[in-house]
């Protein structure tokens, strides 16, 4: 079969490679001048930064993990995760419930006491199933951990009140702690949470985009960059796709582009489907890059729940993943700020965003001397995180059913409109290709 693949992010290039390996003909159409999507990286003044926020490679899915490692070959650094949460001026071990001993004593008591009370209530059957994400946080971790960390952090990243969010997606994403580990961590015995990410890898050269290029290698000649898809129409038994200045016929279409970008390419979309699609919620991302002289703290990344410290929810240190992403004697910092596309912050001048971040980094003790800064830049990603609001299931079901009815297959993060990491996107592509034989 001849397939048209819309979008050249990780999902698009993976699906193209896997179909090609199975003997299908493929054409990939990518709007931007280069492939990668959220996994793009840029190198300037010797610093390489991931433009869609800091990315690292990990997975519970051994087949997918082996695929990522295989394609990268020798271009891979392996690191132990050293992640912290910046809480009341302290660097608390991540996940929070594994770092309780790092808290001030009163906060530790609040967290452990409420955790135990919640367990007792659950044991007596006094808790009804959580109706939303806020209730889930209270019922899983207790009031202490929920109010000290989880609620402020989640409000900051999702830009949506947690009582307006569903909780169907959290299992496996927000680590559910074994009781013994919480007690151990409270009394100061080291424990690890979220262990499938405790060791991660990262390309030695080229940032995370190197992974996309490694996947794309066998199908490079079939990828058309600078080719925004503007129309997908049925023609006979197949499709006619208009992308950039050209047209192509295909037997099948796989879309990996965001649903809100796909629907305008289709004819006669019912008003109800359009409305459901417009109602799908997501956040955008500002990635703020800072290159400095000298060293950064020895952490992988730090979560920043408090709004007082800064607008950013996470600060990472890419030069701790690979020595080749910063010039010798230099280090790098990447701050991530989420916002809605409509928020004036998304289009605020770079200078304002950068000085806000530098102020926050100074407050965290990471960068007290602004004279050390040798490089700064900002990147904007309009589609960064899917937000699962309470009406999500009805809306997504309606849009998916419509696309499937048109014979268009959906693969990838904003095409499925699901919170999929790189491994989830590759799994999606593998399952899709497998079914095509
Ligand atoms: C801040 C942040 C940190 C993350 N960290 C990690 C991590 O550490 N580990 C991990 O595994 N995952 C991480 N992820 C998730 C990861 O980025 C995604 O799972 C993955 O990049 C999604 O790939 P995709 O191809 O589905 O989508 P995208 O990367 O969004 O690709 C879609 C592509 O479609 C193109 N496109 C859009 N419209 C059109 C059009 N009309 N015509 C043609 N092309 C079009 C876009 O330009 C883009 O290239 C992170 C995500 C974010 C936001």
């Amino acid at each position: 079969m001849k397939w048209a693949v819309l979008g050249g992010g990780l999902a698009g290039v993976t699906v193209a490679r896997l179909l090609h390996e199975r003997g299908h003909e493929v054409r990939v159409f990518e709007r931007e001048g280069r492939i990668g999507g959220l996994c793009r990286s840029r190198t300037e003044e010797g610093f390489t930064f991931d433009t869609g926020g800091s990315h690292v490679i990990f997975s519970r899915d051994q087949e997918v993990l082996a695929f990522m490692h295989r394609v990268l070959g020798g271009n891979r650094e392996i690191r132990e995760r050293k992640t912290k949460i910046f809480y009341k001026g302290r660097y608390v071990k991540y996940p929070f419930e594994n770092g309780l001993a790092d808290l001030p004593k009163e906060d530790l008591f609040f967290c452990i006491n409420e955790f135990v009370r919640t367990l007792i209530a659950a044991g007596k059957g006094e808790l009804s199933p959580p109706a939303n994400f806020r209730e889930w946080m209270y019922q899983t971790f207790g009031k202490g951990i929920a109010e000290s960390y989880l609620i402020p952090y989640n409000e900051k990243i999702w830009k949506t009140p947690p009582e307006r969010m569903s909780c169907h997606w959290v299992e496996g994403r927000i680590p559910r702690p074994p009781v013994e580990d919480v007690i151990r961590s409270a009394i100061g015995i080291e424990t690890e949470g979220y262990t499938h990410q405790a060791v991660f890898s990262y390309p030695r050269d080229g940032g995370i985009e190197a992974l996309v290029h490694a996947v794309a290698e066998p199908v490079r000649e079939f990828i058309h960059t600078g080719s925004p898809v503007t129309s997908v129409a049925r023609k006979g038994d197949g499709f006619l796709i208009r992308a950039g200045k050209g047209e192509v016929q295909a037997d099948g279409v796989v879309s990996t582009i965001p649903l809100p970008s796909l629907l305008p390419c289709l004819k006669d979309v019912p008003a109800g489907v359009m409305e459901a699609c417009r109602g799908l919620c997501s956040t955008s991302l500002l990635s703020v890059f800072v290159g400095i002289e000298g060293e950064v703290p020895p952490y992988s990344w730090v979560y920043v729940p408090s709004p007082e410290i800064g607008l950013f929810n996470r600060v990472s240190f890419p030069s701790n993943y690979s020595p080749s992403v910063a010039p010798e004697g230099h280090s790098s910092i990447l701050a991530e700020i989420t916002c809605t596309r409509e928020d004036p912050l998304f289009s605020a001048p770079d200078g304002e965003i950068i000085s806000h971040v530098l102020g926050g980094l100074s407050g965290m003790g990471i960068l007290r001397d602004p004279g050390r800064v040798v490089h700064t830049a900002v990147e904007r990603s309009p589609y960064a995180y899917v937000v699962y609001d309470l009406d999500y299931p009805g809306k997504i079901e309606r849009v998916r059913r419509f696309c499937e009815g048109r014979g268009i297959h959906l693969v990838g993060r904003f095409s499925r409109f699901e919170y999929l990491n790189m491994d989830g996107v590759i799994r999606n592509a593998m399952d899709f290709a497998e079914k095509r034989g």
Side-chain angles (χ1 to χ4, degrees):
M1 269 180 81
K2 180 171 176 181
W3 289 93
V5 179
L6 320 184
L10 183 61
V13 302
T14 309
V15 95
R17 175 188 175 125
L18 298 177
L19 288 171
H20 172 75
E21 283 173 357
R22 285 167 171 76
H24 297 267
E25 213 182 305
V26 289
R27 289 279 180 284
V28 179
F29 300 101
E30 165 56 45
R31 182 187 56 194
E32 302 296 325
R34 59 199 289 174
I35 57 172
L38 277 172
C39 296
R40 274 192 282 264
S41 308
R42 63 186 251 180
T43 301
E44 269 178 22
E45 300 184 272
F47 291 96
T48 301
F49 286 100
D50 297 340
T51 62
S54 165
H55 281 65
V56 297
I57 298 167
F58 62 92
S59 185
R60 285 195 181 91
D61 185 327
Q62 292 307 313
E63 186 187 358
V64 169
L65 193 60
F67 172 81
M68 293 193 272
H69 291 173
R70 193 173 66 245
V71 296
L72 276 176
N75 185 20
R76 188 160 77 91
E77 292 280 336
I78 301 168
R79 293 286 181 274
E80 278 181 26
R81 182 191 66 201
K82 278 199 200 128
T83 306
K84 300 284 178 183
I85 296 153
F86 191 68
Y87 178 79
K88 294 193 177 172
R90 298 169 183 230
Y91 284 88
V92 171
K93 185 176 172 166
Y94 170 86
F96 196 74
E97 60 280 7
N98 292 81
L100 296 178
D102 295 335
L103 300 182
K105 286 276 185 279
E106 272 306 312
D107 298 42
L108 166 58
F109 172 73
F110 179 43
C111 290
I112 195 78
N113 187 40
E114 292 296 334
F115 181 72
V116 171
R117 283 160 61 110
T118 305
L119 276 184
I120 294 170
K124 286 185 185 162
E126 289 171 2
L127 304 178
S128 42
N132 57 51
F133 185 33
R134 179 183 289 272
E135 285 184 17
W136 182 88
M137 289 189 272
Y138 275 95
Q139 293 191 13
T140 308
F141 293 90
K143 189 174 154 88
I145 296 176
E147 292 183 359
S148 306
Y149 165 58
L150 285 172
I151 290 178
Y153 180 74
N154 281 287
E155 281 177 347
K156 203 178 198 188
I157 189 168
W158 302 114
K159 301 291 176 271
T160 306
E163 61 276 15
R164 290 278 310 128
M165 291 178 69
S166 107
C167 55
H168 73 277
W169 57 280
V170 285
E171 283 305 327
R173 279 194 184 277
I174 300 187
R176 187 185 272 269
V179 183
E180 308 77 49
D181 277 12
V182 178
I183 294 169
R184 274 199 190 94
S185 82
I187 57 178
I189 302 174
E190 281 282 305
T191 55
E192 284 302 328
Y194 214 26
T195 48
H196 66 288
Q197 197 200 52
V199 174
F200 64 84
S201 49
Y202 188 77
R204 179 167 303 140
D205 292 306
I208 201 64
E209 190 177 312
L211 174 66
V212 183
H213 287 290
V215 173
E217 182 56 32
V219 286
R220 240 184 349 183
E221 62 188 296
F222 309 119
I223 299 176
H224 307 272
T225 51
S227 296
V229 176
T230 50
S231 160
V232 179
R234 296 258 18 164
K235 188 168 185 207
D237 289 339
F239 295 86
L240 184 69
I241 294 101
R242 205 162 285 146
K245 292 194 180 93
E247 275 185 355
V248 70
Q249 295 211 30
D251 304 315
V253 173
V254 185
S255 175
T256 73
I257 69 179
L259 287 173
S261 309
L262 172 67
L263 288 204
C265 300
L266 310 180
K267 275 208 186 96
D268 304 324
V269 181
V273 173
M274 269 303 199
E275 198 189 319
C277 185
R278 272 195 293 269
L280 292 169
C281 305
S282 60
T283 62
S284 305
L285 179 76
L286 296 167
S287 300
V288 185
F289 312 137
V290 182
I292 65 167
E293 240 167 13
E295 293 188 350
V296 284
Y299 308 138
S300 314
W301 58 87
V302 178
Y303 295 98
V304 186
S306 164
E308 282 90 53
I309 301 299
L311 294 167
F312 44 87
N313 60 285
R314 186 167 76 137
V315 175
S316 51
F317 304 100
S319 51
N320 290 341
Y321 307 166
S322 163
S324 54
V325 299
E328 214 175 318
H330 293 73
S331 310
S332 58
I333 306 171
L334 198 173
E336 292 161 18
I337 301 173
T338 58
C339 60
T340 59
R341 266 182 302 286
E342 302 74 41
D343 189 333
L345 178 64
F346 192 56
S347 43
D350 289 3
E352 271 175 34
I353 297 165
I354 290 164
S355 53
H356 170 81
V357 166
L358 294 181
L361 293 175
S362 166
M364 292 172 72
I366 293 171
L367 183 62
R368 290 235 159 80
D369 172 12
R372 289 169 64 201
V373 176
V374 297
H375 172 80
T376 54
V378 177
E379 283 271 356
R380 292 167 179 78
S381 306
Y383 290 97
Y385 288 103
V386 170
V387 177
Y388 291 118
D389 64 335
L390 293 172
D391 308 326
Y392 169 85
K395 290 183 285 198
I396 192 66
E397 170 64 20
R398 186 144 197 207
V399 180
R400 279 190 195 150
R401 212 170 337 114
F402 169 76
C403 294
E404 280 156 19
R406 288 279 170 106
I408 297 170
H409 300 277
L410 305 175
V411 172
R413 181 159 163 128
F414 279 98
S415 184
R416 303 287 313 157
F417 225 90
E418 277 175 40
Y419 186 174
L420 298 174
N421 273 331
M422 296 187 292
D423 60 342
V425 158
I426 293 173
R427 168 51 55 203
N428 240 208
M430 283 178 167
D431 290 347
F432 173 79
E434 187 92 346
K435 284 194 206 125
R436 264 78 222 166

